[in-house]
Amino acid sequence: MASELTIAIPDTATNEITAMFIASAQKAFNALVQAQSYPPYMNQGQACDYLHVSVKTFKKLNIPVVSLDGVTRYSRTTLDQYCKDNEI
């Protein structure tokens, strides 16, 4: 037999929790939309924007490239993996 425990939460606390949840969900959704707006293979400028770093900093990272017929591109998957591999 299961018993229930009822806890009264003031409306102000409920409203704050709801607002925090909505803000968190919106932030996560916006990050997902922004990440999806970049193509799967990016030029250097797009890759810098994607990682939010300058070209000078980006060049120091030595991220692997894809080169097709002399055109250099950076894989979004590789950029994501680079960030995961370098988490502190």
Coordinates of all heavy atoms in Angstrom, one line a residue:
M1 N 0.8 -1.2 0.0 CA 0.0 0.0 0.0 C 0.9 1.2 0.0 O 1.7 1.4 0.9 CB -0.9 0.0 1.2 CG -1.9 1.0 1.2 SD -2.9 1.1 2.8 CE -4.1 -0.1 2.6
A2 N 0.7 2.1 -1.0 CA 1.5 3.3 -1.1 C 0.9 4.4 -0.3 O -0.3 4.6 -0.4 CB 1.7 3.7 -2.5
S3 N 1.7 5.2 0.3 CA 1.1 6.4 1.0 C 1.6 7.6 0.3 O 2.7 7.6 -0.4 CB 1.5 6.4 2.5 OG 3.0 6.4 2.6
E4 N 0.9 8.7 0.4 CA 1.2 9.9 -0.3 C 1.6 11.0 0.7 O 1.0 11.0 1.8 CB 0.0 10.4 -1.1 CG -0.3 9.6 -2.3 CD -1.4 10.2 -3.2 OE1 -1.6 11.4 -3.1 OE2 -2.0 9.4 -3.9
L5 N 2.6 11.8 0.4 CA 3.0 12.9 1.2 C 2.7 14.2 0.4 O 3.1 14.3 -0.7 CB 4.5 12.8 1.5 CG 5.1 14.0 2.2 CD1 4.5 14.1 3.6 CD2 6.6 13.8 2.3
T6 N 1.9 15.0 1.0 CA 1.5 16.3 0.4 C 2.3 17.4 1.0 O 2.3 17.6 2.2 CB 0.0 16.6 0.5 OG1 -0.7 15.4 0.0 CG2 -0.4 17.8 -0.2
I7 N 3.0 18.2 0.1 CA 3.7 19.4 0.6 C 3.1 20.6 0.0 O 3.0 20.7 -1.3 CB 5.2 19.2 0.2 CG1 5.8 18.0 0.8 CG2 6.0 20.5 0.6 CD1 7.2 17.7 0.4
A8 N 2.9 21.6 0.8 CA 2.3 22.8 0.3 C 3.5 23.7 -0.1 O 4.4 24.0 0.7 CB 1.5 23.5 1.3
I9 N 3.5 24.2 -1.4 CA 4.5 25.1 -1.9 C 3.8 26.4 -2.2 O 2.8 26.4 -2.9 CB 5.2 24.5 -3.1 CG1 5.8 23.2 -2.8 CG2 6.2 25.5 -3.7 CD1 6.4 22.5 -4.0
P10 N 4.4 27.5 -1.6 CA 3.7 28.8 -1.9 C 3.7 29.1 -3.4 O 4.6 28.7 -4.1 CB 4.6 29.8 -1.1 CG 5.4 29.0 -0.2 CD 5.5 27.6 -0.8
D11 N 2.7 29.9 -3.8 CA 2.6 30.2 -5.2 C 3.8 31.0 -5.7 O 4.3 30.8 -6.9 CB 1.4 31.1 -5.5 CG 0.1 30.3 -5.4 OD1 0.2 29.1 -5.5 OD2 -1.0 30.9 -5.2
T12 N 4.5 31.8 -4.9 CA 5.7 32.5 -5.3 C 6.8 31.6 -5.7 O 7.5 31.8 -6.7 CB 6.1 33.5 -4.3 OG1 6.3 32.9 -3.0 CG2 5.1 34.7 -4.1
A13 N 7.0 30.5 -4.9 CA 8.0 29.6 -5.1 C 7.7 28.8 -6.4 O 8.6 28.5 -7.2 CB 8.2 28.6 -3.9
T14 N 6.4 28.4 -6.6 CA 6.0 27.7 -7.8 C 6.3 28.5 -9.0 O 6.8 28.0 -10.0 CB 4.5 27.3 -7.7 OG1 4.3 26.5 -6.5 CG2 4.1 26.5 -8.9
N15 N 6.0 29.8 -8.9 CA 6.2 30.7 -10.1 C 7.6 30.8 -10.4 O 8.0 30.9 -11.5 CB 5.5 32.0 -9.8 CG 4.0 32.0 -9.7 OD1 3.4 31.0 -10.2 ND2 3.4 33.0 -9.1
E16 N 8.5 30.9 -9.3 CA 9.9 31.1 -9.5 C 10.5 29.8 -10.2 O 11.3 29.8 -11.1 CB 10.6 31.4 -8.2 CG 10.4 32.8 -7.7 CD 11.1 33.0 -6.4 OE1 12.2 32.4 -6.2 OE2 10.6 33.8 -5.6
I17 N 10.1 28.6 -9.7 CA 10.5 27.4 -10.3 C 10.1 27.2 -11.7 O 10.9 26.9 -12.6 CB 10.0 26.2 -9.4 CG1 10.6 26.2 -8.0 CG2 10.2 24.9 -10.1 CD1 10.0 25.2 -7.0
T18 N 8.9 27.6 -12.0 CA 8.4 27.6 -13.4 C 9.2 28.5 -14.3 O 9.6 28.1 -15.4 CB 6.9 27.9 -13.4 OG1 6.1 27.0 -12.6 CG2 6.3 27.9 -14.8
A19 N 9.4 29.7 -13.8 CA 10.2 30.7 -14.6 C 11.6 30.2 -14.8 O 12.2 30.3 -16.0 CB 10.2 32.0 -13.9
M20 N 12.2 29.6 -13.8 CA 13.6 29.0 -14.0 C 13.6 27.9 -15.0 O 14.5 27.8 -15.8 CB 14.2 28.6 -12.6 CG 14.5 29.8 -11.7 SD 15.1 29.4 -10.0 CE 15.5 27.7 -10.0
F21 N 12.6 27.0 -14.9 CA 12.5 25.9 -15.8 C 12.3 26.4 -17.3 O 13.0 25.9 -18.2 CB 11.4 25.0 -15.5 CG 11.2 23.9 -16.4 CD1 12.0 22.8 -16.4 CD2 10.2 24.0 -17.4 CE1 11.8 21.7 -17.4 CE2 10.0 23.0 -18.3 CZ 10.8 21.8 -18.3
I22 N 11.5 27.4 -17.5 CA 11.2 27.9 -18.8 C 12.5 28.6 -19.3 O 12.9 28.4 -20.5 CB 10.0 28.9 -18.8 CG1 8.7 28.1 -18.6 CG2 10.0 29.7 -20.1 CD1 7.5 29.0 -18.3
A23 N 13.2 29.4 -18.5 CA 14.4 30.0 -18.9 C 15.5 29.0 -19.3 O 16.2 29.2 -20.3 CB 14.9 31.0 -17.8
S24 N 15.6 28.0 -18.5 CA 16.6 26.9 -18.8 C 16.3 26.2 -20.1 O 17.1 25.9 -21.0 CB 16.6 25.9 -17.7 OG 17.5 24.9 -17.9
A25 N 15.0 25.9 -20.3 CA 14.6 25.2 -21.6 C 14.8 26.1 -22.8 O 15.2 25.6 -23.8 CB 13.1 24.8 -21.5
Q26 N 14.5 27.4 -22.7 CA 14.7 28.3 -23.8 C 16.2 28.4 -24.1 O 16.6 28.4 -25.3 CB 14.1 29.7 -23.4 CG 12.6 29.8 -23.5 CD 12.1 31.1 -23.0 OE1 12.7 31.8 -22.2 NE2 10.9 31.4 -23.5
K27 N 17.0 28.5 -23.1 CA 18.5 28.6 -23.3 C 19.0 27.3 -24.0 O 19.8 27.4 -25.0 CB 19.2 28.7 -22.0 CG 20.7 28.9 -22.1 CD 21.3 29.2 -20.8 CE 22.8 29.3 -20.9 NZ 23.5 29.6 -19.6
A28 N 18.5 26.2 -23.6 CA 19.0 24.9 -24.2 C 18.4 24.8 -25.7 O 19.2 24.4 -26.6 CB 18.4 23.7 -23.5
F29 N 17.2 25.3 -25.9 CA 16.6 25.2 -27.2 C 17.4 26.2 -28.2 O 17.7 25.9 -29.3 CB 15.2 25.6 -27.2 CG 14.5 25.7 -28.5 CD1 14.2 24.5 -29.2 CD2 14.2 26.9 -29.2 CE1 13.6 24.5 -30.4 CE2 13.6 26.9 -30.4 CZ 13.3 25.7 -31.1
N30 N 17.7 27.4 -27.7 CA 18.4 28.4 -28.5 C 19.8 27.9 -28.8 O 20.3 28.1 -30.0 CB 18.5 29.7 -27.8 CG 17.1 30.4 -27.7 OD1 16.2 30.1 -28.4 ND2 17.0 31.3 -26.7
A31 N 20.5 27.2 -27.9 CA 21.8 26.7 -28.2 C 21.7 25.6 -29.2 O 22.6 25.5 -30.1 CB 22.4 26.1 -26.9
L32 N 20.7 24.8 -29.2 CA 20.5 23.7 -30.2 C 20.2 24.3 -31.5 O 20.8 23.9 -32.5 CB 19.4 22.8 -29.8 CG 19.1 21.7 -30.7 CD1 20.2 20.7 -30.8 CD2 17.8 20.9 -30.2
V33 N 19.4 25.3 -31.6 CA 19.1 26.0 -32.9 C 20.3 26.6 -33.5 O 20.6 26.5 -34.7 CB 17.9 27.0 -32.7 CG1 17.8 27.9 -33.9 CG2 16.6 26.3 -32.4
Q34 N 21.1 27.3 -32.6 CA 22.3 27.9 -33.1 C 23.3 26.9 -33.6 O 23.9 27.1 -34.7 CB 23.0 28.8 -32.0 CG 24.2 29.5 -32.5 CD 24.8 30.4 -31.5 OE1 24.4 30.5 -30.4 NE2 25.9 31.1 -31.9
A35 N 23.5 25.8 -32.9 CA 24.4 24.8 -33.3 C 24.0 24.2 -34.7 O 24.8 23.9 -35.5 CB 24.6 23.7 -32.3
Q36 N 22.7 24.0 -34.8 CA 22.2 23.4 -36.1 C 22.2 24.4 -37.2 O 22.1 23.9 -38.4 CB 20.8 22.9 -35.9 CG 20.7 21.8 -34.9 CD 21.5 20.5 -35.3 OE1 21.5 20.2 -36.4 NE2 22.1 19.9 -34.3
S37 N 22.4 25.7 -37.0 CA 22.4 26.6 -38.1 C 23.7 26.6 -38.8 O 23.9 27.2 -39.9 CB 22.1 28.0 -37.6 OG 23.1 28.5 -36.7
Y38 N 24.8 26.0 -38.3 CA 26.0 25.9 -38.9 C 26.0 24.6 -39.8 O 25.5 23.6 -39.5 CB 27.2 25.8 -37.9 CG 27.5 27.1 -37.2 CD1 26.9 27.4 -36.0 CD2 28.3 28.0 -37.8 CE1 27.1 28.6 -35.4 CE2 28.6 29.2 -37.1 CZ 28.0 29.5 -35.9 OH 28.2 30.7 -35.3
P39 N 26.7 24.7 -41.0 CA 26.7 23.6 -41.9 C 27.6 22.5 -41.4 O 28.4 22.7 -40.5 CB 27.3 24.2 -43.2 CG 28.1 25.4 -42.8 CD 27.4 25.9 -41.6
P40 N 27.4 21.3 -41.9 CA 28.3 20.2 -41.4 C 29.8 20.4 -41.7 O 30.6 19.9 -40.9 CB 27.8 18.9 -42.2 CG 26.5 19.4 -42.9 CD 26.5 20.8 -42.9
Y41 N 30.1 21.1 -42.7 CA 31.5 21.4 -43.1 C 31.6 22.9 -43.2 O 30.9 23.5 -44.0 CB 31.9 20.6 -44.3 CG 32.0 19.2 -44.1 CD1 31.0 18.3 -44.4 CD2 33.2 18.6 -43.5 CE1 31.0 17.0 -44.1 CE2 33.3 17.2 -43.3 CZ 32.2 16.4 -43.6 OH 32.2 15.1 -43.3
M42 N 32.5 23.5 -42.5 CA 32.6 25.0 -42.4 C 33.9 25.5 -42.9 O 34.9 24.8 -42.8 CB 32.4 25.4 -41.0 CG 31.1 25.1 -40.4 SD 31.1 25.5 -38.6 CE 30.9 23.9 -37.9
N43 N 33.9 26.7 -43.4 CA 35.2 27.4 -43.7 C 35.8 27.9 -42.4 O 35.2 27.8 -41.4 CB 35.0 28.5 -44.8 CG 34.1 29.6 -44.3 OD1 34.1 29.9 -43.1 ND2 33.4 30.2 -45.3
Q44 N 37.0 28.5 -42.5 CA 37.6 28.9 -41.3 C 36.9 29.9 -40.5 O 36.8 29.9 -39.3 CB 39.0 29.4 -41.6 CG 39.9 29.7 -40.4 CD 41.3 30.1 -40.7 OE1 41.4 31.1 -41.4 NE2 42.2 29.4 -40.2
G45 N 36.3 30.9 -41.2 CA 35.5 31.9 -40.5 C 34.3 31.4 -39.8 O 34.0 31.8 -38.7
Q46 N 33.6 30.5 -40.4 CA 32.5 29.9 -39.8 C 32.9 29.0 -38.6 O 32.2 29.0 -37.5 CB 31.7 29.0 -40.8 CG 31.0 29.7 -41.9 CD 30.5 28.8 -43.0 OE1 31.3 27.9 -43.4 NE2 29.3 29.0 -43.5
A47 N 34.0 28.3 -38.7 CA 34.5 27.5 -37.6 C 34.9 28.4 -36.4 O 34.6 28.0 -35.3 CB 35.7 26.6 -38.1
C48 N 35.5 29.5 -36.7 CA 35.9 30.4 -35.6 C 34.6 31.0 -34.9 O 34.6 31.0 -33.7 CB 36.7 31.6 -36.2 SG 38.3 31.2 -36.7
D49 N 33.6 31.3 -35.7 CA 32.4 31.8 -35.1 C 31.7 30.7 -34.3 O 31.2 30.9 -33.2 CB 31.4 32.2 -36.2 CG 31.8 33.5 -36.9 OD1 32.6 34.3 -36.3 OD2 31.2 33.8 -37.9
Y50 N 31.7 29.5 -34.8 CA 31.1 28.3 -34.1 C 31.8 28.1 -32.8 O 31.1 27.8 -31.8 CB 31.3 27.1 -35.0 CG 30.6 25.8 -34.5 CD1 29.2 25.7 -34.5 CD2 31.4 24.8 -34.0 CE1 28.6 24.6 -34.1 CE2 30.7 23.6 -33.5 CZ 29.4 23.5 -33.6 OH 28.7 22.4 -33.1
L51 N 33.1 28.2 -32.7 CA 33.8 28.0 -31.4 C 34.0 29.3 -30.6 O 34.5 29.2 -29.5 CB 35.2 27.4 -31.7 CG 35.3 26.1 -32.4 CD1 36.7 25.6 -32.6 CD2 34.6 25.0 -31.5
H52 N 33.5 30.4 -31.2 CA 33.6 31.7 -30.5 C 35.1 32.0 -30.2 O 35.4 32.4 -29.0 CB 32.8 31.7 -29.2 CG 31.3 31.4 -29.5 ND1 30.5 32.3 -30.1 CD2 30.6 30.3 -29.2 CE1 29.3 31.8 -30.2 NE2 29.3 30.6 -29.7
V53 N 36.0 31.9 -31.2 CA 37.4 32.2 -31.0 C 37.8 33.0 -32.2 O 37.2 33.0 -33.2 CB 38.3 31.0 -30.8 CG1 37.9 30.2 -29.6 CG2 38.2 30.1 -32.1
S54 N 39.0 33.8 -32.0 CA 39.5 34.5 -33.1 C 40.3 33.6 -34.1 O 40.6 32.5 -33.7 CB 40.5 35.6 -32.5 OG 41.7 34.9 -32.0
V55 N 40.6 34.1 -35.2 CA 41.3 33.3 -36.2 C 42.7 33.0 -35.7 O 43.2 31.8 -35.8 CB 41.4 34.1 -37.6 CG1 42.4 33.4 -38.5 CG2 40.1 34.3 -38.2
K56 N 43.3 33.9 -35.0 CA 44.7 33.7 -34.4 C 44.6 32.5 -33.4 O 45.5 31.6 -33.4 CB 45.1 35.0 -33.7 CG 46.5 34.9 -33.2 CD 47.0 36.2 -32.6 CE 48.4 36.1 -32.0 NZ 48.8 37.4 -31.4
T57 N 43.6 32.5 -32.5 CA 43.5 31.4 -31.6 C 43.1 30.1 -32.3 O 43.7 29.1 -31.9 CB 42.4 31.8 -30.5 OG1 42.8 33.0 -29.8 CG2 42.1 30.6 -29.6
F58 N 42.2 30.2 -33.2 CA 41.8 29.0 -34.0 C 43.0 28.3 -34.6 O 43.1 27.1 -34.6 CB 40.8 29.4 -35.0 CG 40.2 28.2 -35.7 CD1 39.2 27.4 -35.2 CD2 40.6 27.9 -37.0 CE1 38.7 26.3 -35.8 CE2 40.1 26.8 -37.7 CZ 39.1 26.0 -37.1
K59 N 43.9 29.1 -35.2 CA 45.1 28.5 -35.9 C 46.0 27.8 -34.9 O 46.6 26.8 -35.3 CB 45.9 29.6 -36.6 CG 45.1 30.1 -37.9 CD 46.0 31.2 -38.6 CE 45.2 31.6 -39.8 NZ 46.0 32.6 -40.6
K60 N 46.0 28.2 -33.7 CA 46.8 27.5 -32.6 C 46.3 26.1 -32.2 O 47.0 25.3 -31.7 CB 46.9 28.4 -31.4 CG 47.7 29.7 -31.6 CD 47.7 30.5 -30.3 CE 48.3 31.8 -30.5 NZ 48.2 32.7 -29.3
L61 N 45.0 25.9 -32.5 CA 44.3 24.7 -32.0 C 44.7 23.4 -32.8 O 44.5 22.3 -32.4 CB 42.8 24.9 -32.1 CG 42.2 26.0 -31.2 CD1 40.7 26.1 -31.4 CD2 42.6 25.9 -29.8
N62 N 45.2 23.6 -34.1 CA 45.6 22.5 -34.9 C 44.5 21.5 -35.1 O 44.7 20.3 -34.9 CB 46.9 21.8 -34.4 CG 48.1 22.8 -34.5 OD1 48.2 23.5 -35.5 ND2 48.9 22.8 -33.4
I63 N 43.3 21.9 -35.4 CA 42.2 21.1 -35.6 C 42.3 20.4 -37.0 O 42.6 21.1 -38.0 CB 40.9 21.9 -35.5 CG1 40.7 22.3 -34.1 CG2 39.7 21.0 -35.9 CD1 39.6 23.2 -33.8
P64 N 42.0 19.1 -37.1 CA 42.1 18.4 -38.4 C 41.2 19.1 -39.4 O 40.1 19.5 -39.1 CB 41.7 17.0 -38.1 CG 41.9 16.8 -36.6 CD 41.7 18.2 -36.0
V65 N 41.6 19.0 -40.7 CA 40.8 19.6 -41.8 C 40.4 18.6 -42.8 O 41.0 17.5 -42.8 CB 41.6 20.8 -42.5 CG1 42.0 21.9 -41.5 CG2 42.8 20.2 -43.2
V66 N 39.4 18.9 -43.6 CA 39.0 18.1 -44.7 C 39.4 19.0 -45.9 O 39.0 20.2 -46.0 CB 37.5 17.9 -44.7 CG1 37.1 17.2 -46.0 CG2 37.1 17.1 -43.5
S67 N 40.2 18.4 -46.8 CA 40.6 19.2 -48.0 C 40.1 18.5 -49.3 O 40.5 17.3 -49.5 CB 42.1 19.3 -48.0 OG 42.5 20.1 -49.1
L68 N 39.2 19.1 -50.0 CA 38.7 18.6 -51.2 C 39.0 19.5 -52.4 O 38.6 20.6 -52.4 CB 37.2 18.4 -51.1 CG 36.7 17.5 -50.0 CD1 35.2 17.6 -49.9 CD2 37.0 16.1 -50.3
D69 N 39.8 19.0 -53.3 CA 40.2 19.8 -54.4 C 40.8 21.2 -54.1 O 40.5 22.2 -54.7 CB 39.0 19.9 -55.4 CG 39.4 19.8 -56.8 OD1 40.5 19.4 -57.1 OD2 38.5 20.1 -57.7
G70 N 41.6 21.2 -53.0 CA 42.2 22.4 -52.5 C 41.3 23.3 -51.7 O 41.8 24.4 -51.2
V71 N 40.1 22.9 -51.4 CA 39.2 23.7 -50.5 C 39.3 23.1 -49.1 O 39.0 21.9 -49.0 CB 37.8 23.7 -51.1 CG1 36.9 24.4 -50.2 CG2 37.7 24.3 -52.5
T72 N 39.6 23.9 -48.2 CA 39.7 23.4 -46.8 C 38.4 23.7 -46.0 O 37.9 24.8 -46.1 CB 40.9 24.2 -46.1 OG1 42.1 23.9 -46.8 CG2 41.0 23.7 -44.6
R73 N 38.0 22.6 -45.3 CA 36.8 22.7 -44.5 C 37.0 22.1 -43.2 O 37.9 21.2 -43.0 CB 35.6 22.0 -45.2 CG 35.1 22.7 -46.5 CD 34.4 24.1 -46.1 NE 33.9 24.7 -47.3 CZ 34.5 25.8 -47.9 NH1 35.6 26.3 -47.4 NH2 33.9 26.4 -48.9
Y74 N 36.2 22.5 -42.2 CA 36.3 21.9 -40.9 C 35.0 21.3 -40.5 O 33.9 21.9 -40.7 CB 36.6 23.0 -39.8 CG 37.9 23.7 -40.1 CD1 38.0 24.8 -41.0 CD2 39.1 23.2 -39.5 CE1 39.2 25.4 -41.2 CE2 40.3 23.9 -39.8 CZ 40.4 24.9 -40.7 OH 41.6 25.5 -40.9
S75 N 35.1 20.0 -40.1 CA 33.9 19.3 -39.8 C 33.3 19.7 -38.5 O 34.0 19.9 -37.5 CB 34.2 17.8 -39.7 OG 33.2 17.0 -39.1
R76 N 32.0 20.0 -38.4 CA 31.3 20.3 -37.2 C 31.5 19.2 -36.2 O 31.7 19.5 -35.0 CB 29.8 20.6 -37.5 CG 29.1 21.2 -36.3 CD 27.7 21.6 -36.6 NE 26.9 20.5 -37.0 CZ 25.8 20.6 -37.7 NH1 25.3 21.7 -38.0 NH2 25.1 19.5 -38.0
T77 N 31.4 18.0 -36.6 CA 31.6 16.9 -35.7 C 33.0 16.9 -35.1 O 33.2 16.7 -33.8 CB 31.4 15.5 -36.4 OG1 30.1 15.6 -37.0 CG2 31.5 14.4 -35.5
T78 N 34.0 17.2 -35.9 CA 35.4 17.3 -35.4 C 35.5 18.4 -34.4 O 36.2 18.3 -33.4 CB 36.4 17.4 -36.5 OG1 36.2 16.3 -37.4 CG2 37.8 17.5 -36.1
L79 N 34.9 19.6 -34.7 CA 35.0 20.7 -33.8 C 34.3 20.4 -32.4 O 34.9 20.7 -31.4 CB 34.3 21.9 -34.4 CG 35.0 22.5 -35.7 CD1 34.1 23.6 -36.3 CD2 36.4 23.0 -35.4
D80 N 33.2 19.7 -32.5 CA 32.5 19.3 -31.3 C 33.3 18.3 -30.5 O 33.4 18.5 -29.2 CB 31.1 18.7 -31.6 CG 30.1 19.7 -32.1 OD1 30.3 20.9 -31.9 OD2 29.1 19.2 -32.7
Q81 N 33.9 17.4 -31.1 CA 34.8 16.4 -30.5 C 36.0 17.1 -29.9 O 36.4 16.7 -28.7 CB 35.2 15.3 -31.4 CG 35.9 14.1 -30.8 CD 35.0 13.4 -29.7 OE1 33.8 13.1 -30.0 NE2 35.5 13.3 -28.5
Y82 N 36.6 18.0 -30.6 CA 37.7 18.8 -30.1 C 37.4 19.4 -28.7 O 38.1 19.4 -27.8 CB 38.2 19.8 -31.1 CG 39.4 20.6 -30.6 CD1 40.7 20.0 -30.8 CD2 39.3 21.7 -29.9 CE1 41.8 20.7 -30.3 CE2 40.4 22.4 -29.4 CZ 41.7 21.9 -29.6 OH 42.8 22.6 -29.1
C83 N 36.2 20.1 -28.7 CA 35.8 20.7 -27.4 C 35.6 19.7 -26.3 O 36.0 19.9 -25.2 CB 34.5 21.5 -27.7 SG 34.7 23.0 -28.7
K84 N 34.9 18.6 -26.6 CA 34.7 17.5 -25.6 C 36.0 17.0 -25.1 O 36.2 16.8 -23.9 CB 33.9 16.4 -26.2 CG 32.4 16.8 -26.4 CD 31.6 15.6 -26.9 CE 30.2 16.1 -27.2 NZ 29.4 15.0 -27.9
D85 N 37.0 16.8 -26.0 CA 38.3 16.2 -25.6 C 39.1 17.2 -24.8 O 40.0 16.8 -24.1 CB 39.1 15.8 -26.9 CG 38.5 14.7 -27.6 OD1 37.6 14.0 -27.1 OD2 38.9 14.4 -28.8
N86 N 38.8 18.5 -24.8 CA 39.6 19.5 -24.1 C 38.8 20.1 -23.0 O 39.2 21.2 -22.5 CB 40.1 20.6 -25.1 CG 41.1 20.0 -26.0 OD1 42.3 19.9 -25.6 ND2 40.8 19.6 -27.2
E87 N 37.8 19.5 -22.5 CA 37.0 19.9 -21.3 C 37.9 19.8 -20.1 O 38.7 18.9 -20.0 CB 35.8 19.1 -21.1 CG 34.7 19.4 -22.1 CD 33.4 18.6 -21.8 OE1 33.5 17.6 -21.0 OE2 32.4 18.9 -22.3
I88 N 37.8 20.8 -19.2 CA 38.6 20.7 -18.0 C 37.7 20.3 -16.8 O 36.6 20.7 -16.7 CB 39.2 22.1 -17.7 CG1 40.1 22.5 -18.8 CG2 39.9 22.1 -16.4 CD1 40.7 23.9 -18.7

